[in-house]
């Protein structure tokens, strides 16, 4: 079963400030934790992909009617709605996906305290057969 673990920008249960406000050593510890978790998941054959995304200031919004697309750099949705990064995992069960999400949520933040970031877990679904539509 494939699951997308989505992490958003915005408030955390620990009230940690944005990473841009962390000390260099706290940010390095957080990134090292993420890299080590990815390595463990890869060793287990569970990790498909994991990436952090550029900040919302570098995002573009595209709208198209099929002819000329309109590209803007805003307005942006509320910060809590912006994706910060994701992991795509292939695991045996929902329980394992939730276990991994809990590990991601507990990544170290300022002072090494768990960030408690909300992680949305969604099963990846295949497209329906066209004759089923």
């Amino acid at each position: 079963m494939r699951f997308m673990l989505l992490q958003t920008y915005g408030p955390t249960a620990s009230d940690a400030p944005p990473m841009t406000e962390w000390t260099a050593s706290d940010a390095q510890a957080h990134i090292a934790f993420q890299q080590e978790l990815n390595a463990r998941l890869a060793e287990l054959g569970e990790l498909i992909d994991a990436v952090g995304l550029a900040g919302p200031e570098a995002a573009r919004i595209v709208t198209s009617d099929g002819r000329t697309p309109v590209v803007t750099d805003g307005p942006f949705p509320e910060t809590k709605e912006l994706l910060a990064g994701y992991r795509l995992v292939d695991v045996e069960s929902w329980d394992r996906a939730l276990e991994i999400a809990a590990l991601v949520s507990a990544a170290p933040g300022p002072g090494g305290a768990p960030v408690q970031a909300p992680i949305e877990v969604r099963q990846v679904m295949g497209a329906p057969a066209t004759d089923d539509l």
Side-chain angles (χ1 to χ4, degrees), residues 34-125:
Q34 301 292 350
Q35 292 170 333
E36 290 166 12
L37 177 57
N38 290 344
R40 285 196 317 261
L41 295 173
E43 286 174 12
L44 293 169
E46 295 177 325
L47 184 66
I48 296 171
D49 194 18
V51 297
L53 301 173
E57 68 282 352
R60 299 296 179 267
I61 297 170
V62 178
T63 306
S64 178
D65 61 3
R67 295 182 292 251
T68 305
V70 175
V71 181
T72 64
D73 62 356
F76 297 109
E78 292 183 44
T79 302
K80 68 181 181 179
E81 298 171 352
L82 295 173
L83 189 60
Y86 70 86
R87 273 185 183 78
L88 181 60
V89 296
D90 189 354
V91 295
E92 293 296 320
S93 67
W94 264 98
D95 287 342
R96 179 59 180 149
L98 297 174
E99 181 181 332
I100 295 167
L103 292 171
V104 175
S105 179
V115 174
Q116 300 177 35
I119 307 299
E120 181 179 344
V121 180
R122 298 179 68 181
Q123 188 172 2
V124 177
M125 306 301 289

Side-chain angles (χ1 to χ4, degrees), residues 7-34:
Q7 185 168 346
T8 58
Y9 287 98
T12 62
S14 68
D15 291 326
M19 190 190 277
T20 55
E21 298 175 19
W22 297 5
T23 66
S25 62
D26 285 340
Q28 290 167 347
H30 181 83
I31 292 167
F33 171 89
Q34 301 292 350

